[in-house]
PDB file of all heavy atoms in Angstrom:
ATOM      1  N   ARG Y 106      11.000  -1.581   9.681  1.00  0.00           N
ATOM      2  CA  ARG Y 106      10.715  -0.308   9.001  1.00  0.00           C
ATOM      3  C   ARG Y 106      10.601  -0.526   7.495  1.00  0.00           C
ATOM      4  O   ARG Y 106       9.735   0.041   6.834  1.00  0.00           O
ATOM      5  CB  ARG Y 106      11.796   0.729   9.327  1.00  0.00           C
ATOM      6  CG  ARG Y 106      11.656   1.328  10.703  1.00  0.00           C
ATOM      7  CD  ARG Y 106      12.565   2.535  10.884  1.00  0.00           C
ATOM      8  NE  ARG Y 106      13.969   2.162  10.914  1.00  0.00           N
ATOM      9  CZ  ARG Y 106      14.638   1.819  12.012  1.00  0.00           C
ATOM     10  NH1 ARG Y 106      14.027   1.799  13.171  1.00  0.00           N
ATOM     11  NH2 ARG Y 106      15.916   1.489  11.948  1.00  0.00           N
ATOM     12  N   SER Y 107      11.472  -1.360   6.944  1.00  0.00           N
ATOM     13  CA  SER Y 107      11.429  -1.662   5.512  1.00  0.00           C
ATOM     14  C   SER Y 107      10.111  -2.352   5.141  1.00  0.00           C
ATOM     15  O   SER Y 107       9.502  -2.029   4.112  1.00  0.00           O
ATOM     16  CB  SER Y 107      12.618  -2.547   5.145  1.00  0.00           C
ATOM     17  OG  SER Y 107      12.566  -2.909   3.799  1.00  0.00           O
ATOM     18  N   HIS Y 108       9.687  -3.285   5.965  1.00  0.00           N
ATOM     19  CA  HIS Y 108       8.430  -4.000   5.730  1.00  0.00           C
ATOM     20  C   HIS Y 108       7.250  -3.027   5.725  1.00  0.00           C
ATOM     21  O   HIS Y 108       6.415  -3.051   4.820  1.00  0.00           O
ATOM     22  CB  HIS Y 108       8.252  -5.067   6.822  1.00  0.00           C
ATOM     23  CG  HIS Y 108       7.031  -5.907   6.671  1.00  0.00           C
ATOM     24  ND1 HIS Y 108       6.922  -6.899   5.721  1.00  0.00           N
ATOM     25  CD2 HIS Y 108       5.869  -5.914   7.351  1.00  0.00           C
ATOM     26  CE1 HIS Y 108       5.740  -7.477   5.826  1.00  0.00           C
ATOM     27  NE2 HIS Y 108       5.072  -6.892   6.815  1.00  0.00           N
ATOM     28  N   LEU Y 109       7.204  -2.155   6.722  1.00  0.00           N
ATOM     29  CA  LEU Y 109       6.119  -1.171   6.798  1.00  0.00           C
ATOM     30  C   LEU Y 109       6.164  -0.201   5.627  1.00  0.00           C
ATOM     31  O   LEU Y 109       5.128   0.185   5.082  1.00  0.00           O
ATOM     32  CB  LEU Y 109       6.171  -0.420   8.131  1.00  0.00           C
ATOM     33  CG  LEU Y 109       5.889  -1.271   9.367  1.00  0.00           C
ATOM     34  CD1 LEU Y 109       6.177  -0.492  10.643  1.00  0.00           C
ATOM     35  CD2 LEU Y 109       4.454  -1.787   9.357  1.00  0.00           C
ATOM     36  N   ALA Y 110       7.374   0.174   5.199  1.00  0.00           N
ATOM     37  CA  ALA Y 110       7.513   1.073   4.042  1.00  0.00           C
ATOM     38  C   ALA Y 110       7.020   0.398   2.769  1.00  0.00           C
ATOM     39  O   ALA Y 110       6.434   1.048   1.902  1.00  0.00           O
ATOM     40  CB  ALA Y 110       8.972   1.514   3.888  1.00  0.00           C
ATOM     41  N   THR Y 111       7.241  -0.911   2.655  1.00  0.00           N
ATOM     42  CA  THR Y 111       6.753  -1.656   1.490  1.00  0.00           C
ATOM     43  C   THR Y 111       5.238  -1.647   1.431  1.00  0.00           C
ATOM     44  O   THR Y 111       4.641  -1.422   0.370  1.00  0.00           O
ATOM     45  CB  THR Y 111       7.283  -3.104   1.515  1.00  0.00           C
ATOM     46  OG1 THR Y 111       8.709  -3.062   1.497  1.00  0.00           O
ATOM     47  CG2 THR Y 111       6.760  -3.890   0.323  1.00  0.00           C
ATOM     48  N   ILE Y 112       4.604  -1.882   2.575  1.00  0.00           N
ATOM     49  CA  ILE Y 112       3.139  -1.831   2.639  1.00  0.00           C
ATOM     50  C   ILE Y 112       2.641  -0.465   2.189  1.00  0.00           C
ATOM     51  O   ILE Y 112       1.721  -0.348   1.374  1.00  0.00           O
ATOM     52  CB  ILE Y 112       2.638  -2.165   4.057  1.00  0.00           C
ATOM     53  CG1 ILE Y 112       3.001  -3.611   4.420  1.00  0.00           C
ATOM     54  CG2 ILE Y 112       1.131  -1.930   4.175  1.00  0.00           C
ATOM     55  CD1 ILE Y 112       2.835  -3.936   5.896  1.00  0.00           C
ATOM     56  N   GLU Y 113       3.278   0.577   2.694  1.00  0.00           N
ATOM     57  CA  GLU Y 113       2.867   1.941   2.351  1.00  0.00           C
ATOM     58  C   GLU Y 113       3.094   2.226   0.868  1.00  0.00           C
ATOM     59  O   GLU Y 113       2.259   2.854   0.218  1.00  0.00           O
ATOM     60  CB  GLU Y 113       3.616   2.952   3.215  1.00  0.00           C
ATOM     61  CG  GLU Y 113       3.290   4.394   2.919  1.00  0.00           C
ATOM     62  CD  GLU Y 113       1.810   4.735   3.054  1.00  0.00           C
ATOM     63  OE1 GLU Y 113       1.079   4.073   3.812  1.00  0.00           O
ATOM     64  OE2 GLU Y 113       1.365   5.692   2.370  1.00  0.00           O
ATOM     65  N   GLN Y 114       4.203   1.760   0.306  1.00  0.00           N
ATOM     66  CA  GLN Y 114       4.474   2.005  -1.109  1.00  0.00           C
ATOM     67  C   GLN Y 114       3.461   1.296  -1.998  1.00  0.00           C
ATOM     68  O   GLN Y 114       2.981   1.871  -2.986  1.00  0.00           O
ATOM     69  CB  GLN Y 114       5.889   1.556  -1.463  1.00  0.00           C
ATOM     70  CG  GLN Y 114       6.248   1.902  -2.893  1.00  0.00           C
ATOM     71  CD  GLN Y 114       7.708   1.652  -3.187  1.00  0.00           C
ATOM     72  OE1 GLN Y 114       8.464   1.172  -2.359  1.00  0.00           O
ATOM     73  NE2 GLN Y 114       8.114   1.979  -4.397  1.00  0.00           N
ATOM     74  N   VAL Y 115       3.106   0.062  -1.681  1.00  0.00           N
ATOM     75  CA  VAL Y 115       2.089  -0.653  -2.461  1.00  0.00           C
ATOM     76  C   VAL Y 115       0.763   0.088  -2.370  1.00  0.00           C
ATOM     77  O   VAL Y 115       0.084   0.288  -3.384  1.00  0.00           O
ATOM     78  CB  VAL Y 115       1.962  -2.114  -1.973  1.00  0.00           C
ATOM     79  CG1 VAL Y 115       0.722  -2.779  -2.566  1.00  0.00           C
ATOM     80  CG2 VAL Y 115       3.208  -2.909  -2.321  1.00  0.00           C
ATOM     81  N   ARG Y 116       0.400   0.534  -1.174  1.00  0.00           N
ATOM     82  CA  ARG Y 116      -0.836   1.283  -0.988  1.00  0.00           C
ATOM     83  C   ARG Y 116      -0.837   2.554  -1.854  1.00  0.00           C
ATOM     84  O   ARG Y 116      -1.798   2.867  -2.534  1.00  0.00           O
ATOM     85  CB  ARG Y 116      -1.020   1.653   0.490  1.00  0.00           C
ATOM     86  CG  ARG Y 116      -2.368   2.302   0.778  1.00  0.00           C
ATOM     87  CD  ARG Y 116      -2.360   3.097   2.079  1.00  0.00           C
ATOM     88  NE  ARG Y 116      -1.453   4.235   2.038  1.00  0.00           N
ATOM     89  CZ  ARG Y 116      -1.681   5.377   1.387  1.00  0.00           C
ATOM     90  NH1 ARG Y 116      -2.772   5.539   0.687  1.00  0.00           N
ATOM     91  NH2 ARG Y 116      -0.805   6.358   1.417  1.00  0.00           N
ATOM     92  N   ARG Y 117       0.277   3.257  -1.836  1.00  0.00           N
ATOM     93  CA  ARG Y 117       0.403   4.512  -2.586  1.00  0.00           C
ATOM     94  C   ARG Y 117       0.298   4.270  -4.096  1.00  0.00           C
ATOM     95  O   ARG Y 117      -0.389   5.013  -4.801  1.00  0.00           O
ATOM     96  CB  ARG Y 117       1.740   5.169  -2.258  1.00  0.00           C
ATOM     97  CG  ARG Y 117       1.821   6.621  -2.631  1.00  0.00           C
ATOM     98  CD  ARG Y 117       3.091   7.316  -2.147  1.00  0.00           C
ATOM     99  NE  ARG Y 117       3.539   6.874  -0.845  1.00  0.00           N
ATOM    100  CZ  ARG Y 117       4.714   6.259  -0.600  1.00  0.00           C
ATOM    101  NH1 ARG Y 117       5.564   6.031  -1.564  1.00  0.00           N
ATOM    102  NH2 ARG Y 117       5.039   5.902   0.628  1.00  0.00           N
ATOM    103  N   ILE Y 118       0.958   3.224  -4.583  1.00  0.00           N
ATOM    104  CA  ILE Y 118       0.908   2.918  -6.022  1.00  0.00           C
ATOM    105  C   ILE Y 118      -0.509   2.577  -6.447  1.00  0.00           C
ATOM    106  O   ILE Y 118      -1.001   3.069  -7.482  1.00  0.00           O
ATOM    107  CB  ILE Y 118       1.886   1.775  -6.368  1.00  0.00           C
ATOM    108  CG1 ILE Y 118       3.329   2.268  -6.239  1.00  0.00           C
ATOM    109  CG2 ILE Y 118       1.607   1.226  -7.769  1.00  0.00           C
ATOM    110  CD1 ILE Y 118       4.362   1.160  -6.291  1.00  0.00           C
ATOM    111  N   LEU Y 119      -1.165   1.727  -5.680  1.00  0.00           N
ATOM    112  CA  LEU Y 119      -2.550   1.365  -6.031  1.00  0.00           C
ATOM    113  C   LEU Y 119      -3.447   2.596  -6.040  1.00  0.00           C
ATOM    114  O   LEU Y 119      -4.260   2.775  -6.943  1.00  0.00           O
ATOM    115  CB  LEU Y 119      -3.081   0.302  -5.064  1.00  0.00           C
ATOM    116  CG  LEU Y 119      -2.418  -1.077  -5.180  1.00  0.00           C
ATOM    117  CD1 LEU Y 119      -2.862  -1.970  -4.033  1.00  0.00           C
ATOM    118  CD2 LEU Y 119      -2.716  -1.713  -6.524  1.00  0.00           C
ATOM    119  N   LYS Y 120      -3.278   3.450  -5.054  1.00  0.00           N
ATOM    120  CA  LYS Y 120      -4.081   4.665  -4.986  1.00  0.00           C
ATOM    121  C   LYS Y 120      -3.790   5.578  -6.187  1.00  0.00           C
ATOM    122  O   LYS Y 120      -4.713   6.079  -6.827  1.00  0.00           O
ATOM    123  CB  LYS Y 120      -3.790   5.418  -3.676  1.00  0.00           C
ATOM    124  CG  LYS Y 120      -4.622   6.647  -3.495  1.00  0.00           C
ATOM    125  CD  LYS Y 120      -4.340   7.317  -2.176  1.00  0.00           C
ATOM    126  CE  LYS Y 120      -5.168   8.580  -2.054  1.00  0.00           C
ATOM    127  NZ  LYS Y 120      -4.807   9.361  -0.868  1.00  0.00           N
ATOM    128  N   ASP Y 121      -2.514   5.772  -6.487  1.00  0.00           N
ATOM    129  CA  ASP Y 121      -2.129   6.621  -7.616  1.00  0.00           C
ATOM    130  C   ASP Y 121      -2.650   6.091  -8.949  1.00  0.00           C
ATOM    131  O   ASP Y 121      -2.958   6.858  -9.857  1.00  0.00           O
ATOM    132  CB  ASP Y 121      -0.604   6.772  -7.692  1.00  0.00           C
ATOM    133  CG  ASP Y 121      -0.029   7.623  -6.577  1.00  0.00           C
ATOM    134  OD1 ASP Y 121      -0.814   8.264  -5.828  1.00  0.00           O
ATOM    135  OD2 ASP Y 121       1.205   7.624  -6.424  1.00  0.00           O
ATOM    136  N   GLU Y 122      -2.735   4.765  -9.060  1.00  0.00           N
ATOM    137  CA  GLU Y 122      -3.228   4.140 -10.289  1.00  0.00           C
ATOM    138  C   GLU Y 122      -4.752   4.066 -10.330  1.00  0.00           C
ATOM    139  O   GLU Y 122      -5.332   3.605 -11.305  1.00  0.00           O
ATOM    140  CB  GLU Y 122      -2.641   2.740 -10.450  1.00  0.00           C
ATOM    141  CG  GLU Y 122      -1.146   2.735 -10.703  1.00  0.00           C
ATOM    142  CD  GLU Y 122      -0.766   3.418 -12.011  1.00  0.00           C
ATOM    143  OE1 GLU Y 122      -1.513   3.266 -13.011  1.00  0.00           O
ATOM    144  OE2 GLU Y 122       0.267   4.117 -12.039  1.00  0.00           O
ATOM    145  N   GLY Y 123      -5.403   4.509  -9.267  1.00  0.00           N
ATOM    146  CA  GLY Y 123      -6.858   4.501  -9.222  1.00  0.00           C
ATOM    147  C   GLY Y 123      -7.465   3.123  -9.046  1.00  0.00           C
ATOM    148  O   GLY Y 123      -8.613   2.898  -9.429  1.00  0.00           O
ATOM    149  N   VAL Y 124      -6.692   2.205  -8.474  1.00  0.00           N
ATOM    150  CA  VAL Y 124      -7.176   0.844  -8.261  1.00  0.00           C
ATOM    151  C   VAL Y 124      -7.801   0.747  -6.868  1.00  0.00           C
ATOM    152  O   VAL Y 124      -7.184   1.127  -5.869  1.00  0.00           O
ATOM    153  CB  VAL Y 124      -6.016  -0.175  -8.383  1.00  0.00           C
ATOM    154  CG1 VAL Y 124      -6.501  -1.583  -8.076  1.00  0.00           C
ATOM    155  CG2 VAL Y 124      -5.385  -0.112  -9.773  1.00  0.00           C
ATOM    156  N   SER Y 125      -9.003   0.244  -6.826  1.00  0.00           N
ATOM    157  CA  SER Y 125      -9.663   0.006  -5.548  1.00  0.00           C
ATOM    158  C   SER Y 125      -8.925  -1.133  -4.843  1.00  0.00           C
ATOM    159  O   SER Y 125      -8.575  -2.138  -5.473  1.00  0.00           O
ATOM    160  CB  SER Y 125     -11.119  -0.379  -5.803  1.00  0.00           C
ATOM    161  OG  SER Y 125     -11.737  -0.812  -4.618  1.00  0.00           O
ATOM    162  N   TYR Y 126      -8.690  -0.985  -3.552  1.00  0.00           N
ATOM    163  CA  TYR Y 126      -7.958  -2.019  -2.824  1.00  0.00           C
ATOM    164  C   TYR Y 126      -8.425  -2.094  -1.382  1.00  0.00           C
ATOM    165  O   TYR Y 126      -9.042  -1.178  -0.859  1.00  0.00           O
ATOM    166  CB  TYR Y 126      -6.437  -1.759  -2.864  1.00  0.00           C
ATOM    167  CG  TYR Y 126      -6.040  -0.504  -2.126  1.00  0.00           C
ATOM    168  CD1 TYR Y 126      -5.667  -0.549  -0.785  1.00  0.00           C
ATOM    169  CD2 TYR Y 126      -6.056   0.735  -2.761  1.00  0.00           C
ATOM    170  CE1 TYR Y 126      -5.313   0.597  -0.109  1.00  0.00           C
ATOM    171  CE2 TYR Y 126      -5.704   1.883  -2.087  1.00  0.00           C
ATOM    172  CZ  TYR Y 126      -5.329   1.818  -0.755  1.00  0.00           C
ATOM    173  OH  TYR Y 126      -4.993   2.955  -0.100  1.00  0.00           O
ATOM    174  N   ARG Y 127      -8.078  -3.224  -0.796  1.00  0.00           N
ATOM    175  CA  ARG Y 127      -8.338  -3.437   0.631  1.00  0.00           C
ATOM    176  C   ARG Y 127      -7.097  -4.107   1.194  1.00  0.00           C
ATOM    177  O   ARG Y 127      -6.537  -5.012   0.580  1.00  0.00           O
ATOM    178  CB  ARG Y 127      -9.555  -4.329   0.805  1.00  0.00           C
ATOM    179  CG  ARG Y 127      -9.946  -4.555   2.249  1.00  0.00           C
ATOM    180  CD  ARG Y 127     -11.291  -5.209   2.378  1.00  0.00           C
ATOM    181  NE  ARG Y 127     -11.402  -6.390   1.534  1.00  0.00           N
ATOM    182  CZ  ARG Y 127     -11.998  -7.516   1.906  1.00  0.00           C
ATOM    183  NH1 ARG Y 127     -12.578  -7.615   3.076  1.00  0.00           N
ATOM    184  NH2 ARG Y 127     -12.064  -8.547   1.098  1.00  0.00           N
ATOM    185  N   ILE Y 128      -6.646  -3.663   2.359  1.00  0.00           N
ATOM    186  CA  ILE Y 128      -5.468  -4.233   3.003  1.00  0.00           C
ATOM    187  C   ILE Y 128      -5.947  -5.086   4.173  1.00  0.00           C
ATOM    188  O   ILE Y 128      -6.717  -4.618   5.020  1.00  0.00           O
ATOM    189  CB  ILE Y 128      -4.503  -3.130   3.477  1.00  0.00           C
ATOM    190  CG1 ILE Y 128      -4.037  -2.306   2.274  1.00  0.00           C
ATOM    191  CG2 ILE Y 128      -3.321  -3.731   4.221  1.00  0.00           C
ATOM    192  CD1 ILE Y 128      -3.137  -1.138   2.625  1.00  0.00           C
ATOM    193  N   ILE Y 129      -5.490  -6.342   4.192  1.00  0.00           N
ATOM    194  CA  ILE Y 129      -5.941  -7.290   5.215  1.00  0.00           C
ATOM    195  C   ILE Y 129      -4.741  -7.923   5.900  1.00  0.00           C
ATOM    196  O   ILE Y 129      -3.820  -8.416   5.225  1.00  0.00           O
ATOM    197  CB  ILE Y 129      -6.816  -8.413   4.593  1.00  0.00           C
ATOM    198  CG1 ILE Y 129      -8.000  -7.827   3.848  1.00  0.00           C
ATOM    199  CG2 ILE Y 129      -7.261  -9.407   5.661  1.00  0.00           C
ATOM    200  CD1 ILE Y 129      -8.801  -8.861   3.083  1.00  0.00           C
ATOM    201  N   LEU Y 130      -4.760  -7.949   7.204  1.00  0.00           N
ATOM    202  CA  LEU Y 130      -3.750  -8.646   7.988  1.00  0.00           C
ATOM    203  C   LEU Y 130      -3.872 -10.144   7.712  1.00  0.00           C
ATOM    204  O   LEU Y 130      -4.986 -10.688   7.680  1.00  0.00           O
ATOM    205  CB  LEU Y 130      -3.969  -8.366   9.473  1.00  0.00           C
ATOM    206  CG  LEU Y 130      -3.026  -9.016  10.471  1.00  0.00           C
ATOM    207  CD1 LEU Y 130      -1.602  -8.545  10.243  1.00  0.00           C
ATOM    208  CD2 LEU Y 130      -3.476  -8.674  11.887  1.00  0.00           C
TER     209      LEU Y 130
END
């Protein structure tokens, strides 16, 4: 759960900062 929350938090920060991103397994 902590690992998944970390992924979500990084995604949220990048989005909030207006940074284009792609998440890859």
Side-chain angles (χ1 to χ4, degrees):
R106 284 191 291 272
S107 177
H108 182 75
L109 294 171
T111 300
I112 296 167
E113 179 57 26
Q114 185 171 3
V115 168
R116 187 200 64 75
R117 197 173 323 117
I118 290 169
L119 292 171
K120 183 178 178 187
D121 289 350
E122 293 297 322
V124 176
S125 171
Y126 66 93
R127 183 169 50 140
I128 300 177
I129 303 173
L130 179 62

